Amino acid sequence: MTAASRVLEEEGVERFTTARVAECAGISIGSLYQYFPSKAAILYRLQTDEWRDTAELTRSILQDRAHPPFTRLRKLVHAFLHSECNEAEMRTALYAAAPFFCQTAIAQKKDSDIGRFLNDAFPEIPAAGRALAAELIEVTLKRVGESFSETSRNAQDIIEYSDAMADMFEAYLKQLCP
């Protein structure tokens, strides 16, 4: 998958072909087809790997009970925006390739680690409020992450932006508490 990632990042989805991936990997196209029957299969694997990695990162931070809930949420925002900026080129290419796999079951998954976190960490907030907060946090992270990572950012920019976003989420959640 390293060769596929390299081709996608360096050449974009428009020039991404199975032949280029095989060439970059130093293998025959026949060998590549044994594992990935099409360009779409390779792109799907890259995207599912990215989704899995993000889900694992999210879960590990939100389930770490060594830290209070607002600290975990802040750590999540920092890690997410940092990740978005570090992998901006790859994510941009995968977003462009989304029509290949956006209707798959994994893409349609509605299970929410943030929703589970809020249910566990803030039981005093009414269920409807937690559900809305989870959706707002998820959508905000995704949309802001996409937009924010379109421009090259230094470490201080990421910290400042992450802190501001985490402050916003914390203020919103605190006002939901009875």
Side-chain angles (χ1 to χ4, degrees):
M1 295 316 301
T2 303
S5 296
R6 194 170 335 125
V7 170
L8 191 57
E9 287 176 4
E10 292 173 3
E11 299 182 26
V13 72
E14 302 81 23
R15 296 198 40 169
F16 184 88
T17 65
T18 53
R20 284 291 302 126
V21 172
E23 178 185 333
C24 186
I27 61 173
S28 72
I29 197 160
S31 294
L32 180 68
Y33 280 133
Q34 287 180 335
Y35 300 98
F36 299 100
S38 66
K39 168 183 171 174
I42 298 170
L43 290 169
Y44 179 73
R45 171 65 184 276
L46 288 172
Q47 182 62 73
T48 56
D49 287 352
E50 193 275 327
W51 283 329
R52 185 199 64 238
D53 293 346
T54 300
E56 288 173 6
L57 173 70
T58 300
R59 253 188 309 282
S60 70
I61 292 170
L62 295 179
Q63 291 177 354
D64 181 5
R65 292 179 177 269
H67 302 284
F70 287 123
T71 300
R72 287 183 267 165
L73 187 57
R74 182 170 299 276
K75 286 177 79 169
L76 173 67
V77 172
H78 278 264
F80 188 83
L81 284 183
H82 184 77
S83 173
E84 285 286 309
C85 290
N86 283 345
E87 300 168 3
E89 290 178 20
M90 172 63 83
R91 291 209 175 131
T92 299
L94 286 172
Y95 293 142
F100 287 112
F101 42 75
C102 65
Q103 298 303 316
T104 62
I106 194 168
Q108 300 297 317
K109 183 180 175 224
K110 298 297 181 196
D111 198 13
S112 166
D113 289 316
I114 293 174
R116 282 191 299 280
F117 163 73
L118 294 177
N119 288 340
D120 181 54
F122 301 100
E124 69 278 13
I125 297 175
R130 289 190 313 264
L132 178 59
E135 184 177 349
L136 287 170
I137 291 169
E138 290 166 5
V139 168
T140 302
L141 281 171
K142 181 178 181 190
R143 298 291 185 241
V144 169
E146 287 172 11
S147 174
F148 185 72
S149 66
E150 289 175 356
T151 303
S152 181
R153 305 292 179 157
N154 64 40
Q156 189 58 37
D157 289 342
I158 297 169
I159 290 168
E160 289 174 6
Y161 214 85
S162 298
D163 281 339
M165 239 167 89
D167 290 345
M168 180 179 69
F169 293 151
E170 183 173 341
Y172 178 67
L173 290 168
K174 283 182 176 176
Q175 69 90 25
L176 291 177
C177 291

